[in-house]
Amino acid sequence: MGAQIRVYRQKIASTTSTRKIFKAMELIATSRIGKARTRVAAALPYANAITRAVSAVSSQTEIDHPLTTEHGQVRRAAVLVMASDRGLAGSYSASALKQAEGLFETLRSEGKEIQAYLVGRKAQSYFDFRGRAYERIWTGGTDAPEFSVAREVGEALLSTFLKDYEDGGVDEIHVVYTKFRSMVVQEPSVMRLLPLEVVDEDEAQDGELLPLYEYEPEPEQVLDALLPRYIEARIFAAMLQAAASELAARQRAMKSAGDNATELIKKYTRLRNTARQAEITQELSEIVAGADALNAS
């Protein structure tokens, strides 16, 4: 009985210690989620505005620009997959990677080769474990992305897009990320980055017309200047939404883990008390039996 009680005490102590870790991580995620949501709200207007500007230039002029023109035959596509650097975020990374797998299957069924670009150590470990190749990996700070990283990612993807197919270039660029809807809902999504889809979904739903522009200099030069900024802005906005989604998922996961640890502590406490009660009952029985034996002698 004594050994059993010691086991339950050790389990209670270890679970209590683990619960403190869960609680600390929940508090950290809670403290960061507000800033992450603010950054998302601040980045989206610029990303949408530059998308509208590029869309206006593309749709209102008859130009053949490589970044806005659909390829007649798409032979190779680049896919940027955004996951997390750390675990303990529930199904956040798994859902994003599952969405990426669905996109890979679709692209392969269309006869397209795939070049993978990864953000986050979880994506890297997923590919490494399965022996899959990827072109580049960016790790560190997935829950607090920096614009410099988004710019580096954009430059790498744009450079690949501008290469010829024979030199390892791609004809399409897709981004797999997790869109932040609310603290409860985070939705794995796919965005085709290039060639440019000139319709902005949110504003098309509002029925708002694209503005008319007068171009100085020529539209081609305007696109040359705008499109790299468009790519950077879109990638950075996707990284910010993914970061907010990661923090929200981690907060929920840690709260759930802490609640489960509390229930487990209650269970072990009941079992310990039951074992202690049985030990006391046995000791009393032995005392009574000894007293009866003495009286009988």
Side-chain angles (χ1 to χ4, degrees), residues 37 180-187 245 248-249 251-252:
R37 295 177 67 179
F180 181 84
R181 296 291 189 185
S182 67
M183 289 296 295
V184 179
V185 180
Q186 296 86 44
E187 178 183 304
S245 299
Q251 182 199 35
R252 289 201 317 276

Side-chain angles (χ1 to χ4, degrees), residues 39-227:
R39 296 183 74 190
V40 170
L44 284 179
Y46 175 76
N48 289 334
I50 198 169
T51 300
R52 293 178 68 241
V54 176
S55 298
V57 177
S58 304
S59 61
Q60 294 168 12
T61 58
E62 297 294 333
I63 59 173
D64 185 16
H65 195 279
L67 302 182
T68 59
T69 303
E70 295 280 351
H71 290 266
Q73 181 184 5
V74 178
R75 293 167 289 181
R76 185 182 293 131
V79 179
L80 176 65
V81 182
M82 297 184 183
S84 66
D85 280 324
R86 297 181 295 137
L88 300 178
S91 61
Y92 166 76
S93 292
S95 298
L97 292 168
K98 182 179 180 181
Q99 185 75 22
E101 287 289 359
L103 177 61
F104 293 157
E105 185 176 345
T106 300
L107 294 175
R108 291 193 187 99
S109 68
E110 296 172 353
K112 301 174 184 176
E113 301 176 32
I114 298 173
Q115 283 187 0
Y117 294 80
L118 310 179
V119 175
R121 293 188 182 90
K122 289 297 180 181
Q124 182 182 19
S125 61
Y126 180 86
F127 275 70
D128 288 344
F129 180 76
R130 288 160 179 77
R132 297 185 183 179
Y134 49 86
E135 300 299 316
R136 288 191 63 179
I137 173 72
W138 292 268
T139 60
T142 56
D143 57 351
E146 298 293 337
F147 184 75
S148 58
V149 177
R151 175 174 292 170
E152 184 181 340
V153 175
E155 289 174 351
L157 292 176
L158 183 58
S159 174
T160 303
F161 185 78
L162 294 177
K163 288 182 183 177
D164 294 331
Y165 173 80
E166 292 75 13
D167 297 328
V170 299
D171 303 313
E172 285 182 347
I173 298 176
H174 301 268
V175 179
V176 179
Y177 68 106
T178 305
K179 186 178 295 185
F180 181 84
R181 296 291 189 185
S182 67
M183 289 296 295
V184 179
V185 180
Q186 296 86 44
E187 178 183 304
S189 304
V190 176
M191 170 180 62
R192 195 183 79 173
L193 192 63
L194 290 175
L196 173 66
E197 294 178 329
V198 299
V199 178
D200 189 289
E201 179 182 355
D202 295 333
E203 299 191 9
Q205 290 175 351
D206 296 336
E208 183 178 347
L209 298 177
L210 293 173
L212 296 174
Y213 292 101
E214 293 183 2
Y215 307 108
E216 181 69 29
E218 296 300 318
E220 291 86 350
Q221 294 172 290
V222 174
L223 282 178
D224 287 340
L226 281 181
L227 277 163

